[in-house]
Amino acid sequence: MPRPRAASRSGDAVISNAELARIFNEIGDMLEIMGEVVYKAVAYRRVADAVERYPDDVAALFRRGEPPKLPGAGAALTAKLAELAETGRLAYHEKLRAQVPDGVLELLRVPGVGPRTARTLHETLGIDSLDALRSAAETGGLRHVKGLSERTEQNILEGITRISQRTTRLLIHDADALIADLVGRLREVRGVHRIEPAGSLRRRRPTIGDLDLLAAVDDPAAVIAALDDLPEVERVLSAGTDKSSIVLRDGPQVDLMVCTPAAWGTHLVHFTGNADHNIALRGMALDRGWSLSEKGFKVIDDGSLLLDAEEADVYERLGLPWIAPELRRGDGEVEAALAGKLPALVTRDDVRGDTHTHSDWTDGVDTIEVMARAARDLGHEYIVLTDHSPSLGTTRGLTPDRVDQQGAEIARLNAELAPFRILHGTELEIRADASLDYPDEMLARFDVVIASIHTGRNQSPEQLTRRALAAIEHPHVDVLAHPSGRIVNTRDPLPLDWPRLFEAAARTGTALEINGSPRLDLDDSLARAAGRAGARLTVASDAHRTEELTQQHYAVDLARRAWLEPDQVLATRTADELLELLA
Ligand code: DGT
Ligand code: CA
Ligand code: CA
Ligand code: ZN
């Protein structure tokens, strides 16, 4: 469903007790920050507490028409719970979010700062961000505020330090946005010949520890100064003559390395491969009498330095073809390169359509037409529209009547948009008892059926595997969508029996999805194993709005990390080929 936060851009419809409680607690905080009468905030917190402790899935009970009796929940708050359970959103919550500045709400993350203190800080000192709070505390600006003291000031400073040290790796979607912006501006600096992301971002790892940038320059000092002077830089950790490390405000560390254009090749190799890949290359160089570093190949006999301006030249010196960054992880790519067996990896250009998209008919934001036109503008030949089936109550899943109406709308649009095609699909719920959400005769009428598990996630590994297998083995199911159920940094994968699923997928031809939303599911190692087992995969955006269609790029990145070639990936087929393959 369309929710604003990165962690929930997942299309997942179930709202957990924890999430319900979080929203109600946040309402309590916001009411207090806004200076509302205290009992209102208390009422929300009390219900939040009850929801959190409730032994069953509260949203599910609402959807079943059996709302639980929760202490403290009168008619008004019960109606709000119902709205959340049905739609996954709450208009009242959104209204408050629009009234309270994000930065003020964020102050509550600091241990010791509650809503009342946040309100005081905002009203008396205009503090509306963690940064502003830090500066005020550092300059002794808090101790004179009524109700605060030198002691509070000290506690707040320590608290801010503690939260900034919390380590979560950044989702690649967010890292890409940050880096594109930085690179765009640094490229303009005089004397910058080339500048590229390196490290885990260039390997397209799903999460990024810090951002690495490499620049080939005439004047190292100029680009280093340009980075350090950017307004969003919070701190300069270290600045040398050929390297600078900074921390972005509320963001990750950025390491900028600089080199001469003549030594670009070895530098880029050095700062891209993981340790195992780089060690393998250095070993091969040593066998040839060279010591390889970012600076170049140093001839051990005479100390001379061989420079390479291009990566391909570095690999060529070692007798290797260029290896795609996504593979540089020291798990077989060097051996494959030596044997001439590197895969011809699938690329974005190979992709012809998107096998998982939503519209405003269920939990998407845009109309079918708007989604289709946007996909066409991206160069797609088709999309599979896969709105939800009914049992996923939070998404207003489509009843059989609505499915028919949607079919008519798609036919109308296809006449208008040809040769672009909208294939009529469904994201079919695999119910907790392993049955499917539409009867077979209805499934037969869809062009493409993708099936997924959203509910009943707490079952045993055996039960969960049985459900996934039931879908894979079903003659009308074409794709198992986001098979592991994970969401990066948010939700762990289901404990499924993967070898059994891969065997069944390979045998039946049911494709396994690589989902490019922040789920990034299957992950690269599972997708690689699936490919090896002979299963077919697909890459899909799971877009719920036009802007999310490009999420499919992340699925392609993962497919590449999984060593997949175009013919292993369903979305590289034309619409006709796809339909024929699935028939
Ligand atoms: P991350 O940041 O945890 O997501 O993962 P990486 O792979 O980006 O790790 P990072 O930032 O420590 O290193 C950046 C690149 O530099 C990575 O491709 C490995 C490479 N590298 C080669 N030699 C060294 C070294 O001596 N120190 C570090 N820090 N990196 C090196
Ligand atoms: Ca890094
Ligand atoms: Ca780094
Ligand atoms: Zn979906």
Side-chain angles (χ1 to χ4, degrees):
M1 105 206 9
R3 277 171 286 172
R5 292 173 169 229
S8 40
R9 258 185 277 145
S10 59
D12 189 59
V14 181
I15 187 158
S16 63
N17 289 359
E19 179 65 6
L20 283 174
R22 189 193 66 75
I23 290 171
F24 265 50
N25 276 319
E26 195 168 275
I27 291 174
D29 290 342
M30 290 191 290
L31 289 172
E32 219 174 323
I33 288 173
M34 292 167 67
E36 288 283 342
V37 281
V38 169
Y39 75 82
K40 272 179 99 174
V42 170
Y44 277 94
R45 294 213 181 90
R46 187 158 168 234
V47 173
D49 197 48
V51 169
E52 200 154 27
R53 288 158 193 271
Y54 202 77
D56 290 321
D57 187 332
V58 169
L61 290 171
F62 269 98
R63 291 201 302 273
R64 245 182 271 148
E66 302 159 9
K69 283 249 169 306
L70 295 166
L77 298 203
T78 302
K80 292 195 168 68
L81 282 175
E83 185 180 339
L84 274 167
E86 288 302 327
T87 66
R89 324 172 49 158
L90 180 58
Y92 181 61
H93 177 243
E94 286 168 18
K95 191 180 98 192
L96 293 178
R97 280 299 300 258
Q99 287 171 16
V100 177
D102 285 353
V104 176
L105 204 51
E106 196 165 22
L107 299 180
L108 303 182
R109 288 172 54 207
V110 180
V113 176
R116 225 166 312 161
T117 309
R119 172 180 167 80
T120 307
L121 292 168
H122 187 219
E123 282 201 330
T124 57
L125 301 174
I127 289 173
D128 60 359
S129 70
L130 286 178
D131 278 337
L133 181 59
R134 187 207 306 267
S135 328
E138 277 169 356
T139 53
L142 303 186
R143 63 188 69 168
H144 307 299
V145 176
K146 187 163 156 272
L148 305 186
S149 66
E150 209 173 323
R151 179 72 208 242
T152 344
E153 213 168 65
Q154 207 48 44
N155 287 342
I156 284 177
L157 271 180
E158 281 165 19
I160 293 177
T161 309
R162 241 181 301 150
I163 56 178
S164 65
Q165 281 165 351
R166 263 183 217 155
T167 53
T168 45
R169 294 173 59 88
L170 189 66
L171 183 70
I172 189 170
H173 302 57
D174 300 329
D176 261 356
L178 281 175
I179 208 81
D181 189 41
L182 282 184
V183 167
R185 278 180 294 159
L186 294 178
R187 191 166 271 147
E188 301 303 312
V189 176
R190 203 169 33 81
V192 173
H193 291 252
R194 303 167 114 169
I195 179 162
E196 298 278 348
S200 51
L201 188 73
R202 186 161 181 250
R203 299 196 307 277
R204 308 308 288 161
R205 195 171 159 185
T207 64
I208 309 296
D210 65 17
L211 294 168
D212 302 288
L213 279 176
L214 178 65
V217 298
D218 297 327
D219 176 7
V223 70
I224 287 176
L227 175 68
D228 297 352
D229 289 346
L230 290 177
E232 63 267 44
V233 170
E234 179 174 285
R235 259 176 310 148
V236 177
L237 296 175
S238 67
T241 51
D242 59 358
K243 182 178 185 291
S244 171
S245 291
I246 58 105
V247 178
L248 292 174
R249 189 162 297 152
D250 292 326
Q253 178 177 331
V254 179
D255 293 343
L256 172 68
M257 273 72 65
V258 295
C259 65
T260 61
W264 170 261
T266 43
H267 276 84
L268 191 56
V269 166
H270 182 87
F271 290 113
T272 299
N274 77 355
D276 291 341
H277 179 84
N278 290 350
I279 287 167
L281 296 189
R282 277 182 229 139
M284 293 178 69
L286 274 181
D287 293 343
R288 289 164 161 77
W290 303 319
S291 145
L292 171 60
S293 75
E294 72 272 30
K295 297 190 172 61
F297 290 90
K298 188 163 153 193
V299 181
I300 292 168
D301 280 350
D302 62 11
S304 62
L305 194 64
L306 309 172
L307 297 185
D308 286 311
E310 301 298 332
E311 275 194 336
D313 300 335
V314 177
Y315 285 97
E316 195 182 325
R317 263 188 220 281
L318 299 172
L320 296 171
W322 181 81
I323 299 175
E326 294 90 337
L327 298 185
R328 297 185 201 170
R329 285 142 59 202
D331 54 3
E333 75 282 2
V334 174
E335 294 81 350
L338 272 172
K341 289 189 173 150
L342 280 176
L345 296 177
V346 60
T347 67
R348 288 182 190 181
D349 285 346
D350 293 322
V351 171
R352 291 165 182 269
D354 193 334
T355 54
H356 185 165
T357 64
H358 294 278
S359 74
D360 63 354
W361 282 61
T362 58
D363 61 345
V365 173
D366 292 305
T367 62
I368 304 174
E369 174 165 4
V370 165
M371 290 296 282
R373 288 187 186 277
R376 190 174 67 173
D377 290 346
L378 289 173
H380 286 324
E381 294 169 17
Y382 61 93
I383 56 170
V384 185
L385 183 71
T386 51
D387 276 326
H388 291 278
S389 66
S391 83
L392 200 52
T394 53
T395 67
R396 300 185 294 126
L398 301 179
T399 58
D401 278 353
R402 295 273 291 158
V403 170
D404 287 342
Q405 288 165 25
Q406 190 176 58
E409 168 73 352
I410 287 174
R412 183 185 76 77
L413 287 169
N414 276 337
E416 192 177 316
L417 299 174
F420 183 87
R421 272 170 81 179
I422 304 161
L423 301 182
H424 196 187
T426 175
E427 181 167 6
L428 175 70
E429 200 52 30
I430 306 170
R431 296 187 193 130
D433 63 359
S435 67
L436 300 179
D437 216 16
Y438 288 129
D440 286 4
E441 65 273 13
M442 232 187 110
L443 292 180
R445 297 209 301 270
F446 287 106
D447 294 319
V448 179
V449 173
I450 76 173
S452 52
I453 293 177
H454 291 98
T455 54
R457 300 174 42 88
N458 295 330
Q459 293 176 342
S460 69
E462 186 49 41
Q463 279 173 305
L464 289 164
T465 300
R466 198 165 59 81
R467 288 166 71 191
L469 280 174
I472 290 174
E473 304 271 1
H474 194 285
H476 290 315
V477 173
D478 304 307
V479 177
L480 185 65
H482 47 74
S484 85
R486 80 145 172 181
I487 300 174
V488 174
N489 284 343
T490 302
R491 189 185 280 167
D492 290 335
L494 299 171
L496 298 169
D497 183 344
W498 293 108
R500 269 174 79 197
L501 298 195
F502 296 159
E503 180 280 320
R507 177 166 41 75
T508 58
T510 304
L512 302 175
E513 180 182 83
I514 302 177
N515 182 302
S517 80
R519 293 173 173 278
L520 296 174
D521 177 17
L522 291 176
D523 73 15
D524 38 37
S525 68
L526 286 174
R528 187 176 178 190
R532 276 185 170 151
R536 195 182 290 136
L537 292 107
T538 188
V539 289
S541 69
D542 199 355
H544 287 67
R545 55 180 78 219
T546 56
E547 296 87 342
E548 289 173 358
L549 285 164
T550 50
Q551 286 181 161
Q552 194 185 31
H553 295 162
Y554 299 101
V556 175
D557 293 340
L558 276 187
R560 292 169 61 80
R561 285 173 62 88
W563 291 55
L564 297 176
E565 302 199 343
D567 65 344
Q568 294 174 281
V569 179
L570 208 53
T572 65
R573 309 299 165 99
T574 64
D576 283 330
E577 286 169 353
L578 181 96
L579 293 176
E580 195 181 302
L581 208 67
L582 301 178

